[in-house]
Amino acid sequence: SVVPDVHAACPDATVTQEILQAGFHRELLVEIELDGVGEDAGRCAVAARTRLPPGIYMDPYELASLQQHNLTKVVLVPEAVDVEAPEYSATELLVLLYLEPNPRCSRCFRATLPMHGRYHRPAEDSEEALVVLKSPEVLVCCCDNRLSAECWMPAEVEAPCSGKPNSPCQWYSVRHKPVHEESILQVPVGLRQHSSIVCVLTLLATGLCSSLILAAVCKHGHFS
């Protein structure tokens, strides 16, 4: 007899992750389409959990402002982020991004989030450093439904289902098919052979600005 494949009938998801814009300041676009959930998809909360490598970060103050205006829902771990740290002294971040339903598709969810590239060490022969961002994990929380244990794997997530602190719910990890296994972020870097020129220009600019400030103080300052 043929043993039926239980997982073949289980819901899964298709994940699309894109990095928009150029330079140090980017946007991360995540789109998820649930398959096999049916009409219940609209009653589910969907989130993408991803790890940001040290080469990129999200600004917690910027995220707080966006959340205050209900423009995004996101949980950042750790909450305190050194936005000035260079890539070689930074650590990875864990991001839980809540997705919003796509009005054009009943089974589709999407969200965008600002992210920023960190400064890298100067390179020998390239003006760009490559940062690899893996495809996110798909998490679903359908608080009104009984979910099959064969299809859904409980996930350890210390975040409420709806993004509100008083609405606890069990998150589940969903099998997913990423359109791309990883995304590549190109971050501008300086060249080592330009270091002496940069140092000289920086010293000249610092000396000029200091002289202008001192001259303005001497001319317009009031001394007792």
Side-chain angles (χ1 to χ4, degrees):
S1 60
V2 178
V3 178
D5 185 1
V6 176
H7 295 280
C10 290
D12 59 9
T14 301
V15 184
T16 302
Q17 177 178 262
E18 293 185 62
I19 299 175
L20 308 178
Q21 302 179 6
F24 282 98
H25 308 290
R26 305 293 190 94
E27 279 192 349
L28 177 64
L29 169 64
V30 179
E31 296 179 309
I32 294 176
E33 180 177 355
L34 298 180
D35 184 21
V37 179
E39 298 299 327
D40 293 334
R43 297 195 296 269
C44 297
V46 179
R49 181 165 60 178
T50 186
R51 294 185 180 276
L52 300 184
I56 51 180
Y57 71 96
M58 292 181 179
D59 188 337
Y61 302 103
E62 184 178 22
L63 296 181
S65 177
L66 292 174
Q67 294 189 109
Q68 185 177 6
H69 293 86
N70 293 323
L71 297 178
T72 189
K73 292 180 182 178
V74 63
V75 176
L76 195 62
V77 180
E79 295 181 355
V81 179
D82 186 355
V83 299
E84 300 294 338
E87 177 270 339
Y88 46 85
S89 64
T91 58
E92 69 174 18
L93 300 174
L94 180 64
V95 178
L96 181 68
L97 173 62
Y98 292 84
L99 278 66
E100 296 291 334
N102 188 340
R104 299 181 180 179
C105 172
S106 61
R107 297 177 289 111
C108 302
F109 301 80
R110 62 177 294 164
T112 58
L113 203 61
M115 68 179 187
H116 310 276
R118 292 189 182 275
Y119 291 110
H120 288 61
R121 295 184 187 275
E124 292 288 351
D125 54 2
S126 175
E127 296 184 355
E128 291 180 331
L130 301 181
V131 180
V132 178
L133 181 61
K134 298 292 185 180
S135 179
E137 177 188 3
V138 178
L139 299 175
V140 174
C141 177
C142 303
C143 300
D144 299 333
N145 303 300
R146 295 181 179 273
L147 305 178
S148 171
E150 292 81 7
C151 294
W152 306 81
M153 180 180 299
E156 294 184 4
V157 181
E158 295 184 3
C161 186
S162 64
K164 299 178 181 179
N166 296 324
S167 57
C169 187
Q170 175 64 57
W171 288 94
Y172 291 85
S173 181
V174 181
R175 294 187 311 161
H176 64 282
K177 300 172 292 186
V179 175
H180 302 288
E181 292 290 343
E182 59 188 26
S183 301
I184 305 297
L185 177 70
Q186 296 177 320
V187 179
V189 297
L191 296 176
R192 290 185 179 179
Q193 56 265 37
H194 295 163
S195 58
S196 57
I197 299 177
V198 172
C199 290
V200 171
L201 293 178
T202 301
L203 289 174
L204 290 176
T206 302
L208 177 61
C209 293
S210 300
S211 300
L212 293 175
I213 294 173
L214 183 60
V217 170
C218 294
K219 182 177 181 180
H220 303 286
H222 298 282
F223 304 96
S224 56

